Amino acid sequence: VQLVESGGGSVQAGGSLSLSCEVSGITEGTNCIGWFRQAPGKEREGVAAIMILGATTYYADSVKGRFTISQDNAKNMVYLQVNSVKPEDTAMYYCAAAPARCDWLVSPLAPAGYIFWGQGTQVTVS
């Protein structure tokens, strides 16, 4: 499984960004895609996840109402719409794939459940 993120950049507080994750090589057992972020000096944290089959979504409390995860299975794409950004949203954003359904993971937002990772895309909020 390969994941490639794009869409990061610099944005002013209150603005919006749309992040994309192209997923290839997905297998039948890979059924949960998550977006994570890591700021300098901080641990990687999950912000959103989506079940490929059924499209159930999960969000961290810190981003609920501002971030939206979605998928286009025909294009093998998962998106993260980031609205009303805050300086604390500044981080490297990664998408990742788990070899299980999201609801089979201990937590769909815990990085430990994911084994395939992209290289990340930087989001900087000023």
Side-chain angles (χ1 to χ4, degrees), residues 9-17 84-87 124-126:
S10 296
V11 60
Q12 291 188 336
S16 298
L17 278 177
S84 302
V85 294
K86 306 175 182 180
T124 303
V125 182
S126 59

Side-chain angles (χ1 to χ4, degrees), residues 88-103:
E88 52 264 42
D89 293 323
T90 294
M92 185 71 80
Y93 283 71
Y94 301 88
C95 63
R101 294 167 51 100
C102 294
D103 53 358

Side-chain angles (χ1 to χ4, degrees), residues 25-46:
I26 201 166
T27 63
E28 184 177 345
T30 305
N31 197 14
C32 187
I33 304 293
W35 279 98
F36 298 80
R37 65 185 181 187
Q38 188 167 20
K42 294 188 176 181
E43 292 187 354
R44 190 168 296 188
E45 63 170 346

Side-chain angles (χ1 to χ4, degrees), residues 43-58:
E43 292 187 354
R44 190 168 296 188
E45 63 170 346
V47 296
I50 188 165
M51 193 107 76
I52 294 174
L53 299 178
T56 302
T57 57
Y58 306 82

